């Protein structure tokens, strides 16, 4: 399996518009973070997790020849704002997009022209699959949804093989931990150090990593108050890494 971190920043991205803090003005390319998204290549499948407003830019810097399916974690704009830009990937056939019911409804409301019966020529050809908490298959590849709580909002993380992608969570319901055993790679959100109502702090993320015990963990969805990449990477436990945009890993 090959993973490409297309974006690793919180909903505003880094730099934040108008901010002159040391992270937003840093010249280290690792401190520039587009909105979170992951590209997964496994067997002969190419899967995108979330399609935020930076999707076009992410595809220009990390070109891919095709996308077989898109998994959506939740309805927030930083995770779905780029769906219209999937057009080049559905020229010949409908692109399969997977989301739970309330998220599918939100997508249909947000870009209604994509789902009309008589479509305007050139709109993306997307087939929305409504999923629930049960594992499902994409052409033989098993995907395990994991329920996470984003403050009060129930959202999905996904496990594919020995990799799990958990973004935007504040808490993991007790019963979901059993789905996170024996992971080679855990990708998990860590906004910054101060308490937040709907996202994990770095401390929360490190506690969850300690409990889940993956071989390696990568932090994502950082805000500018997380700190400089170069400084923070030296403060992480041995098996915890700070992801950055464009990072590729093989497992
Ligand atoms: Zn988010
Ligand atoms: Zn969110």
């Amino acid at each position: 399996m090959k993973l490409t971190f297309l974006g690793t920043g919180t909903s505003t991205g880094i730099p934040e518009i108008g901010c002159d803090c040391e992270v937003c003005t840093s010249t280290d390319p690792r401190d520039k973070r587009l909105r979170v998204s992951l590209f997964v290549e496994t067997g002969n499948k190419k899967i995108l997790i979330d399609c935020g407003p930076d999707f076009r830019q992410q595809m220009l810097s990390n070109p891919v020849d095709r996308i077989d399916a898109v998994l959506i974690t939740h309805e927030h704009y930083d995770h779905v704002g780029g769906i219209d830009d999937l057009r080049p990937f559905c020229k010949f056939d409908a692109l399969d997009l997977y989301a739970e019911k309330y998220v599918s409804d939100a997508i249909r409301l947000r870009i209604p022209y994509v789902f009309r019966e008589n479509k305007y020529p050139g709109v993306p050809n997307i087939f929305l699959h409504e999923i629930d908490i049960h594992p499902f298959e994409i052409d033989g590849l098993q995907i395990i949804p994991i329920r996470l709580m984003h403050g009060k909002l129930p959202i999905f993380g996904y496990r594919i093989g020995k990799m799990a992608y958990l973004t935007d969570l504040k808490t993991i319901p007790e019963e979901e931990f059993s789905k996170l055993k024996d992971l080679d790679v855990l990708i998990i959100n860590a906004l910054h150090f101060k308490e937040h109502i709907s996202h994990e702090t770095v401390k929360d993320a490190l506690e969850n990593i300690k409990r889940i015990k993956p071989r390696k963990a990568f932090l994502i969805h950082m805000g500018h108050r997380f700190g400089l990449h170069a400084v923070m990477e030296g403060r992480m436990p041995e098996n915890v890494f700070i992801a950055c945009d464009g990072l590729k890993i093989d497992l």
Side-chain angles (χ1 to χ4, degrees):
M1 184 183 291
K2 202 167 132 190
L3 307 176
T4 305
F5 291 86
L6 297 175
T8 58
T10 190
S11 56
T12 51
I14 304 178
E16 259 195 30
I17 295 173
C19 182
D20 60 3
C21 77
E22 62 167 358
V23 175
C24 288
T25 55
S26 163
T27 52
D28 184 342
R30 296 173 303 174
D31 288 320
K32 310 260 179 262
R33 300 185 188 277
L34 298 174
R35 270 62 71 91
V36 287
S37 176
L38 184 75
F39 195 64
V40 182
E41 294 165 84
T42 181
N44 59 348
K45 292 276 156 310
K46 301 191 186 209
I47 296 182
L48 176 73
I49 307 185
D50 283 337
C51 185
D54 298 319
F55 175 72
R56 176 178 175 276
Q57 196 178 337
Q58 290 162 337
M59 285 297 104
L60 294 175
S61 8
N62 304 273
V64 309
D65 58 349
R66 59 167 225 274
I67 296 175
D68 298 310
V70 183
L71 308 178
I72 301 291
T73 60
H74 65 299
E75 58 166 326
H76 287 161
Y77 181 75
D78 57 320
H79 300 259
V80 299
I83 291 176
D84 187 273
D85 283 322
L86 286 168
R87 270 174 283 167
F89 299 100
C90 33
K91 259 190 235 156
F92 305 109
D93 207 355
L95 178 56
D96 295 306
L97 196 136
Y98 297 80
E100 63 183 304
K101 167 102 178 62
Y102 86 91
V103 178
S104 309
D105 290 345
I107 292 170
R108 280 192 202 96
L109 270 177
R110 206 162 303 168
I111 41 175
Y113 57 90
V114 171
F115 302 100
R116 279 195 191 117
E117 216 164 287
N118 297 311
K119 288 188 192 112
Y120 182 81
V123 302
N125 183 8
I126 285 167
F127 191 91
L128 255 176
H129 299 259
E130 283 179 12
I131 53 168
D132 56 26
I133 192 68
H134 297 97
F136 60 97
E137 284 190 0
I138 299 173
D139 251 332
L141 175 71
Q142 193 190 44
I143 313 284
I144 304 174
I146 295 157
R147 176 57 77 210
L148 305 171
M149 295 306 294
H150 185 12
K152 287 189 179 145
L153 185 73
I155 63 172
F156 273 161
Y158 294 102
R159 177 175 182 152
I160 307 175
K162 294 209 168 198
M163 185 280 296
Y165 184 81
L166 313 182
T167 189
D168 285 60
L169 69 98
K170 171 76 177 170
T171 52
I172 306 175
E174 203 46 47
E175 62 274 19
E176 299 302 277
F177 279 95
S178 62
K179 299 177 185 169
L180 298 169
K181 283 185 186 146
D182 194 24
L183 287 174
D184 283 339
V185 169
L186 170 68
I187 299 168
I188 191 164
N189 60 295
L191 186 65
H192 53 223
F193 290 83
K194 219 176 119 222
E195 267 313 300
H196 189 274
I197 56 156
S198 58
H199 294 93
E200 282 186 321
T201 61
V202 178
K203 186 169 161 267
D204 299 331
L206 294 179
E207 273 167 17
N208 276 323
I209 293 167
K210 226 176 184 174
R211 175 160 177 199
I212 294 167
K213 293 190 186 66
R215 218 161 51 78
K216 284 182 182 174
F218 290 83
L219 303 184
I220 54 163
H221 212 284
M222 279 75 74
H224 62 160
R225 291 197 183 89
F226 176 84
L228 293 167
H229 189 111
V231 172
M232 296 311 300
E233 68 177 352
R235 298 193 187 162
M236 291 295 137
E238 207 185 8
N239 64 332
V240 181
F241 302 89
I242 302 168
C244 60
D245 290 18
L247 174 70
K248 288 180 198 289
I249 54 174
D250 283 298
L251 67 146

